[in-house]
Structures are given as C-alpha cells and as structure tokens.
Amino acid sequence: MSTKVLRLGGAISEPWYFKDSAQGSAPGGVMSGPDMWRGIGPLVGKELADALGVQLELVETTWGNAVAGLQANQFDVMFALDGTPQRALAIDFVPTPLLWYPLCILAKDEVDISTWEEANDPKYIWGAAIGTSNDQFITKTAPQAQVSRFQTSGETLAAFQSGRIDGYITVGPFADVNKARLNMGKVIVPRPAAAIAGGTGLRYEQDQRFKSFLTTAITYLYNSGRTQELYEMFLAFRNVDPASVTPIMREKWS
C-alpha cells in the first residue's frame, strides 16, 4: 500500500501468463509498463490491484525461479504456483485454491495410453518444465520412463512441436489451449485422475494482513465464478470454445 503497486510474478505459459506483442483490442488485455499481458494470472492480479486501489506490475520470471524471486522480494505474489512441502519450506501459500485442474499429457496422436501406469514405460520420453509440480509428479509416478526437462514451458512446448518428446506433462488448461493453438496432438487425462489445486505463493511475513486479504479475495473470486469467467475471457481471445475444455472449477467437472 505504501508503494501503490502490486507486483505479480509471471512465467510465460498459456493460459497462465502471455505477452500480447500485437496489443490487440480484444477484452482481457492488462497493461504493465509497455507490455500487454493476458491470461488468468494478469486478470486475477488486475482484480486484486483494483480492489486495493493500486497499480499492477508484472515481473517476468520462470517457474523454476519463482520461489527464489519471492524470497528475494522481486515480486509480492505469484498465481498458479502450486504448494508443495518443499516449496513451503521457503515461501508461504494462500490456503484456498485459486482454481483446480487435472494433470494430463499433451501427447502425440500415436501415443495410446489411458493410465499413469502405462506412462511408466522406458519407450516414452515425457517433457516437463523444471521446478514445476508436474516435473515432480512424473518423476515419482513414472520412474522407468525417460523425462526431458526444460527451463521454461515455451521450451517444453517447442520440444513437443518438433517431436523430440512423446508428450508434455502439464495441466488441463495449458494442454487444452495449446492443443487448439497448435492444432496438433491430443489431450490425455490418465487414470487415476490427479486433481491439482492451483496455488498462490507469497513471502513468509510476520504481518498476516496481506495473506488474509489474498485468502478472502481469491476465495470470493473462485466461489462467485469470476475466476472461471476470467479463464473463459482468455479462451475467447484464443478462439477456443469453453465447452470443449475442462473447467477450472472442480464443481463443474462431469
């Protein structure tokens, strides 16, 4: 409140954070300095900044550097940063989910599996972004499979496009949006389904007022359906029909 700025960490990966270099007029664009950002992260950040009466500043980072960035006071909060015991040793988390999503595989068309057990096969090369909970999950769940790790989501997606990996271990929203954007591959949700709570990370502070604000605000946005609306705003930007993808509200899962 003293600086009148809310600093949000953003790792480029749709639909979480995306820089719109064209700066188009479609709804959902959020300006931060000279850059227009889109995605769930910037849109939720704008809602919170408006509630606080401050400016929103996006600070570009990576998933692998997110925890260190929060610790170093490079930004105040980061959305879609999932809570894990290891991360909780270093940073704090809002106790209520930002959203929910199933863990899945954006896979080549020829990949024919339906369970995580079948994914645990040396013939498969799975890709994951370093430092993500997806990386931790596939390492534990499929120790016999090969795992190629990349610094960013963009690098992992490029490896999938070029055929260097059989599938990208990721989450439903990311897989759905990029399958439609690239017009390639298929989305597999292996059984048993792993429901992941999208987290919100922040620094450990003695003063709990910021965490209390975030907890109340994020709970309200989710329960009111506003977070789902913001997600659908980004889907519209990418010309993706919301009915064709998995909602980020678990209550809407069939």
Side-chain angles (χ1 to χ4, degrees), residues 15-16 26-28 38-41 43-44 99 173 177 224-249 252-253:
W16 316 121
R38 295 183 182 274
I40 298 173
L43 286 168
V44 171
L99 46 83
V177 167
S224 67
R226 181 59 175 163
T227 308
Q228 178 68 34
E229 291 176 2
L230 298 177
Y231 176 42
E232 293 179 5
M233 188 181 297
F234 184 79
L235 293 177
F237 168 71
R238 282 302 190 195
N239 297 314
V240 177
D241 180 4
S244 69
V245 303
T246 304
I248 58 173
M249 293 185 73
K252 291 180 177 290
W253 294 359

Side-chain angles (χ1 to χ4, degrees), residues 14-53:
E14 300 184 43
W16 316 121
Y17 303 90
F18 169 70
K19 277 187 180 181
D20 182 2
S21 58
Q23 299 198 2
S25 60
V30 176
M31 294 301 299
S32 176
D35 297 318
M36 175 179 283
W37 290 73
R38 295 183 182 274
I40 298 173
L43 286 168
V44 171
K46 185 67 166 58
E47 296 270 329
L48 301 188
D50 288 348
L52 290 165

Side-chain angles (χ1 to χ4, degrees), residues 53-221:
V54 302
Q55 294 295 314
L56 178 66
E57 177 184 337
L58 270 292
V59 180
E60 188 170 348
T61 185
T62 65
W63 298 116
N65 292 329
V67 170
L70 283 167
Q71 287 183 302
N73 196 25
Q74 294 173 359
F75 39 90
D76 305 309
V77 63
M78 187 164 176
F79 303 126
L81 184 63
D82 302 340
T84 66
Q86 292 78 15
R87 286 175 175 168
L89 292 171
I91 60 172
D92 203 356
F93 287 91
V94 172
T96 56
L98 174 72
L99 46 83
W100 287 89
Y101 40 59
L103 203 61
C104 67
I105 306 173
L106 177 57
K108 293 179 178 178
D109 289 326
E110 58 267 29
V111 172
D112 184 21
I113 63 172
S114 59
T115 68
W116 288 112
E117 183 178 359
E118 291 174 322
N120 186 27
D121 191 313
K123 72 179 182 181
Y124 291 122
I125 304 175
W126 305 124
I130 293 173
T132 62
S133 54
N134 312 329
D135 181 8
Q136 297 172 24
F137 178 87
I138 196 62
T139 300
K140 179 180 179 180
T141 304
Q144 296 181 45
Q146 304 175 64
V147 180
S148 292
R149 297 174 175 83
F150 302 87
Q151 186 62 36
T152 67
S153 299
E155 291 175 11
T156 318
L157 197 61
F160 173 70
Q161 285 181 270
S162 64
R164 288 178 285 146
I165 57 177
D166 295 301
Y168 184 170
I169 307 302
T170 183
V171 293
F174 183 93
D176 288 329
V177 167
N178 283 284
K179 173 183 176 295
R181 184 171 68 87
L182 300 175
N183 193 30
M184 65 177 293
K186 60 183 179 182
V187 178
I188 301 173
V189 182
R191 299 188 306 272
I196 310 281
T200 301
L202 67 160
R203 278 182 304 286
Y204 276 114
E205 302 281 1
Q206 291 285 69
D207 190 331
Q208 294 289 293
R209 285 178 293 177
F210 183 50
K211 181 179 180 180
S212 178
F213 165 76
L214 290 173
T215 301
T216 301
I218 288 170
T219 301
Y220 171 80
L221 291 174

